[in-house]
Amino acid sequence: MGAPITVSHVLSVDDWMTGSAAAIKAEADHLTQLDSAIGDGDHGINMTRGMRAVTAALADVDDVTAPGKRLILAGKTLVSTVGGASGPLWGTALRRGGRALGDAEALDGAALVTALEAALAGVQELGAAEPGDKTMVDALGPAVATLRERLDAGDALGDALEAAADAADEGARATTPMQARKGRASYLGERSVGHQDPGATSTALIVRALGHALVTPG
Ligand code: ADP
Ligand code: MG
């Protein structure tokens, strides 16, 4: 049974990151397999190591409570612990999302949309990937657009997050027939076709983890 819709929910950055870390660790072998097909086979290892460092960094810092500040810490940690493309890209996403939140005390649905739109813009500025280039943008983009649409339409945050996660999954699956135009997979040219993008796949896991990070304030 879902939570009563009269209760307004907010998200916990720490729960989001802990849930993302667990989901990525559980799927690490799969992510590595996907990256072995069209990259260098380190994506599962990169993201697992990075997310483990993020949860450790957050656990260390308990005197900073603003969600924006905690997202910035998470992002900085990813940038400094992951050597592959995904570290700087997701690190930038989280830092930019955190900055967009400013000093807001709670991460509610509207704040989350603001943060995720800034995160997506940060990824695209850094990596210059457009939709259809077979990257994490193909999962994050539809997720952010769906979240905004569903919240604007008046959906409860939990329902909107589920729709966003479904859109991210679908976006990740849709990368399979694409030819990579950015990142290491682009070196393969047409041989990148027929494989699901690892970064889009891990991104869908991170988006799905948002739905498990809902808390009731008060
Ligand atoms: P590396 O390619 O350096 O080994 P990872 O294997 O950790 O790094 O991550 C690969 C993923 O990064 C790809 O599957 C893709 O989703 C994402 N990626 C690579 N380059 C870009 C880019 N320019 N913009 C967006 N995402 C990118
Ligand atoms: Mg790789």
Side-chain angles (χ1 to χ4, degrees):
M1 195 179 72
I5 53 165
T6 48
V7 177
S8 68
H9 286 91
V10 296
L11 287 110
S12 155
V13 168
D14 289 46
D15 287 356
W16 181 26
M17 292 295 113
T18 305
S20 297
I24 282 171
K25 189 173 175 216
E27 285 294 311
D29 288 350
H30 179 223
L31 295 172
T32 287
Q33 264 170 33
L34 293 175
D35 195 36
S36 299
I38 57 169
D40 56 356
D42 62 356
H43 189 63
I45 295 159
N46 283 343
M47 291 300 290
T48 301
R49 188 177 58 231
M51 293 308 296
R52 186 187 301 134
V54 165
T55 52
L58 289 171
D60 267 359
V61 178
D62 51 15
D63 55 336
V64 175
T65 55
K69 299 277 185 307
R70 296 190 77 71
L71 276 180
I72 290 170
L73 172 62
K76 280 185 179 163
T77 305
L78 268 188
V79 171
S80 63
T81 52
V82 179
S86 53
L89 286 163
W90 254 110
T92 297
L94 296 178
R95 273 195 323 208
R96 288 282 291 270
R99 264 175 28 208
L101 291 177
D103 293 326
E105 276 173 30
L107 185 54
D108 60 11
L112 181 66
V113 169
T114 301
L116 290 180
E117 286 179 346
L120 175 63
V123 167
Q124 291 197 265
E125 265 169 46
L126 179 63
E130 295 294 331
D133 284 350
K134 197 181 183 94
T135 71
M136 60 175 69
V137 168
D138 292 309
L140 189 56
V144 177
T146 299
L147 185 67
R148 171 173 280 284
E149 273 165 32
R150 298 294 291 256
L151 289 177
D152 283 352
D155 276 20
L157 182 53
D159 295 339
L161 285 173
E162 199 177 325
D166 290 346
D169 278 342
E170 200 178 304
R173 279 196 301 273
T175 62
T176 301
M178 293 175 187
Q179 178 170 332
R181 282 192 289 257
K182 286 286 179 297
R184 216 178 269 282
S186 66
Y187 308 157
L188 289 179
E190 285 178 9
R191 280 182 294 138
S192 64
V193 171
H195 304 278
Q196 184 165 316
D197 180 62
T201 308
S202 60
T203 293
L205 295 172
I206 295 171
V207 173
R208 179 74 61 189
L210 279 166
H212 304 295
L214 285 174
V215 291
T216 311

